[in-house]
Amino acid sequence: MLLIPDLIKKKRDGAVLSDEDIGAFIQAVTKKNIQECQTGAMLMAIWQKGMVATETETLTREMMSSGDVMSWPTEWAGLVVDKHSTGGVGDKVSLVMAPALAACGCKVPMISGRGLAHTGGTLDKLESIPGFNIHQSAEQILQILSSVGCCIVGQTEMLVPADRVLYSLRDATSTVDSLPLITASILSKKGAESLFALVLDVKFGRAALYKDLDSAKELAQGLMDVGNSLGIRTAAILSSMDGTIGRCVGNSLEVIEALQALKGNGPEDLMELVTTLGAVLLLMTGQASDLSEGRKHISEAVASRRALSKFQAMMEAQGVAAETARALCSPDTDYYSILHKSAHQTELQTPEDGVVLDVDGLVLAGVLQKLGAGRSKVGEAVNHSVGAEMLVSLGQRVRKGVPWLRLHYEDPAPTLDQINQLQKALVLGTNESTETQQKHTLVRELLLPR
Ligand code: IUR
């Protein structure tokens, strides 16, 4: 067997690592029998030389089995599903989709992440609900899936420990944006959930990890190939991420928008993502014969409030007081009697008459991150009440001086420069072009397993 420096050299010089090589590297990482500088050097060698498909597959498998792999009761065969999004602005899809799928009979052990840089994280959003506990053991996850059908939790200590190490070093070594490393990181965790089917929401555009459709498609195709090789039925959608999903960005505000969606009042773009991603999973599990039937099942689960009941039950199962969960899910909730409202709100006004052509989601999210809605370093706290509500829609004709954005802030207050940046994020024009009309729909392509 090669020593670690030899393994690094082999990759550095562009050779293909054998299964044994990759296994030895991941074992060393997991058992901490390797120096951090050596792990960093190997990450950089992988970043520079890339990996062939079989290496990425082996890396994913080895990482997956570096810790516990969940197992489910045999009667759940074909029902355990999850989704992964590559990160967006205002992305509260999981909060609506997990309970909707549970209402359709699926089992959804959703292991989510925290926000980093300008993108939000589902766990941060849920933690704005008093009492919500994202830390659940494997036994508790099994129990919640038995009684409710869905849970949204953080990665447990014992799940893919190799990814914990590699992920933190990737930030420090500028090796985050490597296709094999991204693929192995995402899919090792999904593999450890022992899923039957997985749908990926791979985003492209200004506010996404990948800026253009072609590079997002390359990631999607690679993820699908490895996912399917692990025995998980894996599909992907490619969706545009230039503005915001829905009208709210910021943790508590997004929980409110998700609850409104579960009460039947969701914005169209959010519901398009929820029904499409949900339909793809129902198709793969055989609970729908085509996408339109799948979409109908998801829409009905929401319209009938069965999805809302599942969300209420999930909150209770994850530590929220029954009274609080009931109040949040009642039709006439005063959300701010439960969720913390920011100490200050201010409304920005349109600078002239016109049609709303564009809102730059990256600028909006960047300012909100600095105001405390997001974090710039792993482990930093976020202020759940900071965020923004869009008060206008794409394509809407507006008069000069009407409020278009309500900013929720505490400490720090927005600077004049930040307010100017936000004002520039709004693009007004005279007529809506076909390009703007296209922005009303987010899903651009669907990739189903062969
Ligand atoms: N999410 C993950 O779980 N892993 C990654 O490498 C990225 C996002 I980028």
Side-chain angles (χ1 to χ4, degrees), residues 84 163 167 170 176 181-182 185-186 189 209:
H84 177 84
D163 179 63
Y167 198 68
R170 277 167 62 203
V176 170
L181 295 177
I182 295 174
S185 168
I186 293 172
K189 286 172 281 191
L209 181 66

Side-chain angles (χ1 to χ4, degrees), residues 239-251:
S239 67
S240 77
M241 188 67 258
D242 290 318
T244 65
I245 301 172
R247 288 170 162 247
C248 294
V249 183
N251 297 295

Side-chain angles (χ1 to χ4, degrees), residues 343-357:
H344 310 285
Q345 292 92 44
T346 187
E347 287 179 355
L348 307 196
Q349 274 140 25
T350 51
E352 58 195 22
D353 289 0
V355 177
V356 179
L357 296 186

Side-chain angles (χ1 to χ4, degrees), residues 249-266:
V249 183
N251 297 295
S252 319
L253 287 169
E254 291 190 44
V255 166
I256 295 173
E257 193 169 43
L259 281 162
Q260 285 296 102
L262 286 163
K263 292 175 191 181
N265 306 312

